[in-house]
Amino acid sequence: MTSEPKQHELKPLQSEADWNIYHRIREDILWKGRGLQTPYNRNHPDEYKPEFEPLLLLFKGNPIGTVRVDKTSNGLGIRLVAIEADVQRRGHGSALMTLIEERAVTSGITILEVNSAKESVGFWEAVGYSLIDDAHREFTLLRKQLSS
């Protein structure tokens, strides 16, 4: 009996085409989709820091989402998660977080943090994150402790 191949995978950005897909998804979902007035900056310096890793989420080989994983003094920061609108609420965000957690544990990292938009807090709590701080903040800070 053969096992079913993984349908989801995280792909580091390796080409200009990857970067264009990454930025398009983020701009469409996180800026335009939320009606943000500030322009999206494809050249933000954080995207190119060596300790920050921008990734595409692939489903059956097709890019459907993005995340940036930032190495911090506490563990990993999960930044700017975006899933294409037409495939949201189908388990892709949960699959993305499973892949990130697997990578973290393999690297010996046990703390994950996210600054979440208020409307996304329910998702983060559903995948095991706990509220740390939301007072007087634009984004809600949540944390997850992983078993090593």
Side-chain angles (χ1 to χ4, degrees):
M1 178 186 264
T2 60
S3 63
E4 183 177 321
K6 277 192 164 184
Q7 294 191 24
H8 291 93
E9 66 178 292
L10 290 174
K11 179 184 184 208
L13 307 185
Q14 300 171 330
S15 68
E16 185 175 340
D18 289 346
W19 280 101
N20 286 335
I21 293 166
Y22 174 81
H23 288 303
R24 183 199 50 78
I25 292 171
R26 285 175 39 165
E27 185 173 15
D28 286 353
I29 301 303
L30 301 176
W31 266 256
K32 293 176 183 173
R34 290 185 175 154
L36 296 181
Q37 299 302 310
T38 57
Y40 178 77
N41 182 358
R42 288 176 169 244
N43 298 308
H44 194 285
D46 283 353
E47 296 300 328
Y48 306 98
K49 290 183 177 181
E51 66 273 22
F52 295 175
E53 185 177 20
L55 300 163
L56 286 171
L57 174 66
L58 304 182
F59 178 65
K60 297 182 179 180
N62 297 308
I64 61 161
T66 68
V67 63
R68 195 180 77 220
V69 179
D70 299 356
K71 292 181 182 131
T72 68
S73 59
N74 292 338
L76 289 182
I78 310 304
R79 307 285 184 252
L80 299 164
V81 172
I83 303 294
E84 292 274 29
D86 62 335
V87 295
Q88 288 179 5
R89 302 197 189 310
R90 296 185 190 173
H92 299 300
S94 296
L96 169 68
M97 293 317 304
T98 297
L99 292 170
I100 289 173
E101 290 172 16
E102 289 171 356
R103 287 173 54 135
V105 169
T106 300
S107 300
I109 295 168
T110 59
I111 297 175
L112 303 178
E113 290 185 345
V114 63
N115 288 301
S116 174
K118 303 289 185 207
E119 66 268 17
S120 300
V121 169
F123 165 78
W124 294 105
E125 290 175 331
V127 294
Y129 282 70
S130 299
L131 179 69
I132 301 301
D133 183 17
D134 70 349
H136 312 296
R137 295 172 54 101
E138 180 180 359
F139 297 101
T140 302
L141 177 62
L142 297 107
R143 181 177 296 142
K144 184 171 186 177
Q145 178 74 45
L146 303 176
S147 302
S148 51

